[in-house]
Amino acid sequence: MSTPNGTRNDGADLAEEAAATKIVYDLAPRCTIDDIETGKRYHASVNGVVEYGIFVDLSESISGLVHSSNLVGRYDVGDELIVELLEIHEDGDLGFAEVQMAEYDTVRVAPGERITTEEASAFTGEVVHLDGQVVQVKQTSGPTIFQVRTETGVVPCAAFEDAGVRAFPGVEIDDIVRVVGVPEPRRDYTQIEVQNLSVLTGDSAQEVLGRLRDGEAAVAEPEAVEPLVEWPAFEKLSDDLEAVARRLRETVLEGRPIRMRHHADGDGLCASVPLQYALEQFIARTWEDPDAPRHLLRRLPSKAPFYELEDVTRDMNYALEDRKRHGQKLPLVLMLDNGSTEEDTPAYRNLAHYDIPVLVVDHHHPDPEAVEELVEMHVNPYLHGEDYRITTGMMCVEIARMIHPDITSEIRHVPAVAGLADRSEGEAMNDYLALALEEGYDERRLVEIGEALDYATYWLRYNDGKELINDLLAVNCDDRERHERLVDLFAARAKRDVEIQLDAAMQHVTHEALDNGAHLYRIDVENHARRFTYPAPGKTTGKIHDRKVEETGDPVITIGYGPDFAVLRSDGVRLDIPEMVTELKAEVPGGGVSGGGHLVVGSIKFVSGMREEVIDALVEKMADAEIDEEIGTSAVLPEEE
Ligand code: MN
C-alpha cells in the first residue's frame, strides 16, 4: 500500500528506521547519479532483457543491471519493478537487486537541480527542488502558502489541495523540508508551485540545517560601513550596534516578525524610521514575496517613556493573533529610545511567558541589573561610560546602514535632527550638522523638522503614520518639495500651539529661590494649561523652563505637575533624578513613587493623595543639589501624555 507523500516521519528512531525501510524513491526523469545512494530502493522500468539478467531505467540518465542471481520474477521490456542499488562500480556501471515489497511509501525525488531562493526566477517552468525550513504557513482561500527559507532567502511555495483546504497538513513551521515544484513567474516575483513537499529527518535534515546555518551566517553578516562621523565616544558602541544589526538580519531570514516599539518623539522617530526603511529593503532583498516587508515589520510609537503594560498587552495580543491567523512566528520586540529602565521590566516579564526576544537600543539612564536578565541585547551609551549625548537616532542610523548601506545618502541628515531634538551636546554634533548641511538642511531647518515630527506624532497617537512621517523626515521620500511644504506647515502649527499654551500658563508659574541659589519654577499643568492638546504637559513644562533659563541666565529647575505626576527639567543644577526617585520611594511611604528618565530631566509618578508630600520631599532634595559651573547641560524630556 502506498501512502500520500509529505507525511511526517518523526517519533522514535526505531519508528523512523522502520519507515525508512518502507520508502521507495520515484526519480523524476531528469534525476542524475547524484540523486541516488546505495542501499536505497527505487521504482524502475525494464528497458532490455539479456541472458544474464535485465537492464532497468530509473530516470533518463540512470540505468543499470539486475543480474539474474538478484532477480526474483520474470520481466519483459516496459515492465515495472522495485530495485535496490547494490553498488556503483568504478566505471560508473550500476548494480541492482530486485526487491519485492507488499507495503511501501513512494517518495518522489526531484531532478539534480537543487536551487536556492535566489535562483528560483532563473528556473521558471522547470521542475526543480529546494531544501529548506518552513518559516510561515498561511492558508489562503485558495492554496496553502509555505514560506520556505533556503540558504539565500525565503521563497513562497504554493500547494493546492482544494480551495481553502490546508495542503500537506503534516508539514509545520520549523520543519526541514524538500520542496519539489515548478517556479512560476508572478507579477513581480517568483513562486514555487508545489508538486511535493516532504519533511526531511535524520542526516538529510542535519545536512540542510548545516547549509542553512552557513547561508544565514553569510547573509546576516552586517555590511562593513565606516561610521558617518569620527567620534571616539561612539566607537565604544560599535560592537554592540553590529551585534544588533546581525541579529535583526538573522531575524528577517528566520521569518520572525519584528515589532519596533519606539518613544513617540523626535529622537525616537529618528531612530525607528531609518531602521524601518533599512529593514524593508533587506526583507525585499531576501524574501521573494513582495508583501513580506508589510507583514514582517511594524513600527509602533509609545507615548510613555517606558514600555507600558497597555502597549505590551497589545503587542502580545497581536503576536498571538498573527500566529493563529497568518501562521507567523512570534515576533522579536525591538525597543528604541525606550526600554532601558526598571519601569520597563513589568512589560518584559509579560513577554517572558512567550518566545518573544527583546532587544533594546536606548540612551536614557539605564537600570542594567533590572533589565539585563529580561532582554537579549541591551545597547546604551551609559553602559560604556558615555551618556545621552549619543542619541538613539545616531546609533540607529549606523545600524540601518549596516543592514542596507545603499540608503546612506537618504538618512545622513537624520542624526543631526535627533541630536537637536534631544539637545545633544556631543562633540560630534558639528560633524553631524555639516553632513546635514551637505544635504541642504541648516540648523534652523533641522530644529523645525524635529518640531514638525513631534507635532505630527502627537496627533497620530498610536498610529505610525508611516507615509506622513517619512515625508516630514525626508527619508524614503520621493518629493523634496512636498517635504519642505509639510515641514513649514507642521513646524508653524507646533510653534503657534506652544504660544497659545504658554500665553495662559506663564501667568500661573510660581517662583522661589532655593538655598543652593537655583531658581525653582512650578506650574500646575493640570489646571493652568490646556489639556488633551499640543503641547502635552511634559513639553509645556519644557518650554516654560527654556524661557526661564533664557530670562534669568541662572541655574533653573522647573516642575510641571498634575494630580499624580510631575515632570522635571533642570539647567545648571546637578540632579540625579533616577537616584532621587529611589530615595523618595523609601522616604515617602505610601507615596507610590515611580519614575526616572535622564539625570537632569525626567518624570515622577505618585498617588494623587500624596502629591504635596512627594513634591515637598523632591524640592528639598533639589535645594541640596550642587550647582554646575557651566549652564546648559540639559536634554529633552521624555514626555508624558
Ligand atoms: Mn532620545
Side-chain angles (χ1 to χ4, degrees):
M1 187 194 75
S2 168
T3 60
N5 296 325
T7 49
R8 294 175 65 85
N9 293 330
D10 57 9
D13 281 356
L14 268 179
E16 229 170 78
E17 211 179 295
T21 59
K22 281 169 57 187
I23 292 176
V24 177
Y25 295 96
D26 180 18
L27 300 188
R30 291 181 54 226
C31 282
T32 68
I33 196 155
D34 291 336
D35 297 312
I36 59 174
E37 233 178 278
T38 54
K40 297 260 163 83
R41 289 150 184 201
Y42 301 93
H43 288 285
S45 65
V46 180
N47 79 11
V49 181
V50 292
E51 231 174 276
Y52 49 92
I54 58 173
F55 283 98
V56 292
D57 286 342
L58 273 58
S59 74
E60 281 168 10
S61 67
I62 307 173
S63 304
L65 175 72
V66 187
H67 193 269
S68 49
S69 61
N70 291 322
L71 207 52
V72 185
R74 289 182 59 84
Y75 296 94
D76 285 324
V77 171
D79 285 349
E80 308 236 311
L81 70 157
I82 296 170
V83 296
E84 179 175 321
L85 177 60
L86 296 178
E87 55 184 332
I88 302 175
H89 298 287
E90 261 172 52
D91 57 6
D93 281 354
L94 306 176
F96 293 100
E98 181 184 359
V99 184
Q100 290 201 326
M101 300 172 77
E103 253 186 44
Y104 56 84
D105 296 335
T106 293
V107 171
R108 197 175 144 85
V109 178
E113 213 71 77
R114 182 175 66 77
I115 64 159
T116 61
T117 301
E118 216 172 43
E119 296 158 336
S121 59
F123 286 86
T124 52
E126 290 183 51
V127 177
V128 294
H129 79 273
L130 47 89
D131 297 339
Q133 186 164 34
V134 176
V135 297
Q136 188 190 347
V137 184
K138 179 163 184 171
Q139 184 57 52
T140 69
S141 54
T144 309
I145 307 290
F146 296 88
Q147 297 285 354
V148 176
R149 162 169 88 106
T150 72
E151 51 268 52
T152 63
V154 181
V155 64
C157 302
F160 190 75
E161 176 72 38
D162 215 331
V165 175
R166 172 72 144 83
F168 301 103
V171 178
E172 292 163 14
I173 271 196
D174 285 339
D175 279 347
I176 301 292
V177 293
R178 169 161 294 182
V179 183
V180 178
V182 180
E184 294 291 353
R186 314 284 293 185
R187 207 155 58 99
D188 48 2
Y189 68 106
T190 305
Q191 175 172 288
I192 312 287
E193 305 295 334
V194 176
Q195 293 178 348
N196 187 42
L197 186 55
S198 48
V199 177
L200 302 177
T201 55
D203 286 350
S204 41
Q206 284 309 313
E207 197 191 314
V208 174
L209 264 177
R211 277 206 304 264
L212 290 179
R213 266 195 296 269
D214 293 348
E216 179 179 283
V219 181
E221 186 58 24
E223 313 284 336
V225 290
E226 284 293 316
L228 286 177
V229 300
E230 254 181 72
W231 187 7
F234 197 89
E235 269 165 39
K236 299 181 193 171
L237 287 153
S238 60
D239 287 349
D240 286 2
L241 301 179
E242 199 181 301
V244 171
R246 184 178 295 108
R247 184 67 171 100
L248 293 176
R249 291 171 69 125
E250 280 169 10
T251 303
V252 167
L253 291 171
E254 287 164 10
R256 193 192 271 280
I258 296 170
R259 284 181 82 84
M260 286 188 195
R261 271 276 168 205
H262 67 88
H263 190 210
D265 72 349
D267 185 40
L269 287 166
C270 288
S272 55
V273 170
L275 259 186
Q276 179 181 30
Y277 187 27
L279 282 166
E280 280 171 355
Q281 303 298 309
F282 185 70
I283 295 168
R285 230 163 75 198
T286 52
W287 284 61
E288 274 293 312
D289 184 347
D291 289 332
R294 206 157 46 82
H295 293 144
L296 283 175
L297 193 60
R298 289 220 172 85
R299 178 170 69 72
L300 303 137
S302 281
K303 289 286 176 191
F306 62 93
Y307 198 5
E308 280 187 300
L309 286 173
E310 184 181 345
D311 290 342
V312 76
T313 310
R314 282 168 192 246
D315 287 345
M316 286 168 64
N317 183 38
Y318 277 112
L320 296 173
E321 275 186 8
D322 282 349
R323 181 167 70 173
K324 193 158 171 64
R325 294 200 0 234
H326 305 299
Q328 276 191 330
K329 292 187 181 184
L330 292 176
L332 174 142
V333 169
L334 175 61
M335 302 292 297
L336 300 173
D337 196 30
N338 226 343
S340 274
T341 67
E342 214 233 310
E343 283 183 286
D344 298 285
T345 59
Y348 293 156
R349 282 183 211 288
N350 281 14
L351 295 184
H353 293 286
Y354 291 96
D355 168 32
I356 302 180
V358 181
L359 313 185
V360 179
V361 183
D362 192 7
H363 72 147
H364 291 86
H365 197 270
D367 301 313
E369 294 83 22
V371 169
E372 224 91 304
E373 56 166 14
L374 294 164
V375 307
E376 188 184 301
M377 290 184 185
H378 184 194
V379 182
N380 191 309
Y382 284 95
L383 302 177
H384 297 273
E386 296 298 332
D387 61 25
Y388 73 90
R389 285 176 295 184
I390 297 179
T391 73
T392 318
M394 294 172 187
M395 293 188 275
C396 287
V397 162
E398 296 300 346
I399 299 174
R401 295 176 61 235
M402 293 178 195
I403 291 170
H404 196 76
D406 296 358
I407 62 172
T408 294
S409 67
E410 289 181 76
I411 60 175
R412 63 208 280 263
H413 63 291
V414 172
V417 179
L420 292 171
D422 265 12
R423 302 187 187 197
S424 166
E425 281 160 15
E427 10 342 345
M429 264 317 282
N430 282 336
D431 294 340
Y432 281 131
L433 288 171
L435 281 180
L437 196 59
E438 282 176 33
E439 300 295 328
Y441 302 101
D442 63 17
E443 184 169 342
R444 194 187 55 87
R445 192 55 170 174
L446 294 166
V447 169
E448 284 174 352
I449 293 174
E451 284 169 353
L453 284 172
D454 198 63
Y455 187 74
T457 194
Y458 175 83
W459 293 112
L460 281 164
R461 299 183 64 81
Y462 298 107
N463 199 312
D464 73 343
K466 187 181 165 196
E467 302 302 323
L468 177 61
I469 295 292
N470 283 356
D471 281 349
L472 285 170
L473 189 53
V475 168
N476 192 11
C477 159
D478 53 11
D479 188 342
R480 177 79 177 246
E481 252 181 63
R482 187 177 57 217
H483 154 80
E484 300 291 351
R485 287 198 308 271
L486 276 171
V487 171
D488 285 345
L489 179 71
F490 279 68
R493 289 223 176 127
K495 208 170 168 191
R496 180 199 68 188
D497 289 2
V498 167
E499 291 301 327
I500 293 172
Q501 185 75 297
L502 292 203
D503 259 0
M506 286 310 275
Q507 322 273 327
H508 304 283
V509 175
T510 64
H511 171 262
E512 65 205 86
L514 294 178
D515 290 347
N516 56 7
H519 299 282
L520 173 67
Y521 294 97
R522 301 195 207 200
I523 171 75
D524 178 347
V525 284
E526 178 78 3
N527 292 307
H528 297 139
R530 289 155 192 258
R531 297 167 64 199
F532 312 117
T533 189
Y534 187 89
K539 196 169 194 80
T540 302
T541 307
K543 291 288 179 186
I544 292 170
H545 177 79
D546 291 347
R547 288 206 179 174
K548 292 300 180 187
V549 171
E550 212 173 298
E551 261 174 47
T552 64
D554 294 332
V556 169
I557 299 174
T558 307
I559 303 179
Y561 58 89
D564 60 355
F565 69 91
V567 288
L568 315 172
R569 292 283 307 265
S570 73
D571 267 77
V573 187
R574 277 194 204 157
L575 296 187
D576 183 343
I577 291 172
E579 177 65 28
M580 283 165 45
V581 170
T582 308
E583 288 172 12
L584 286 175
K585 277 183 196 168
E587 290 166 20
V588 188
V593 175
S594 68
H598 294 295
L599 286 178
V600 297
V601 179
S603 63
I604 292 184
K605 280 190 178 170
F606 38 78
V607 294
S608 53
M610 294 292 282
R611 179 171 77 184
E612 234 167 280
E613 285 86 341
V614 173
I615 292 187
D616 285 351
L618 187 66
V619 171
E620 232 170 86
K621 289 183 189 304
M622 289 171 161
D624 287 344
E626 271 178 69
I627 299 296
D628 261 337
E629 270 86 275
E630 249 183 274
I631 299 182
T633 49
S634 178
V636 151
L637 174 76
E639 267 152 40
E640 296 269 0
E641 257 297 81

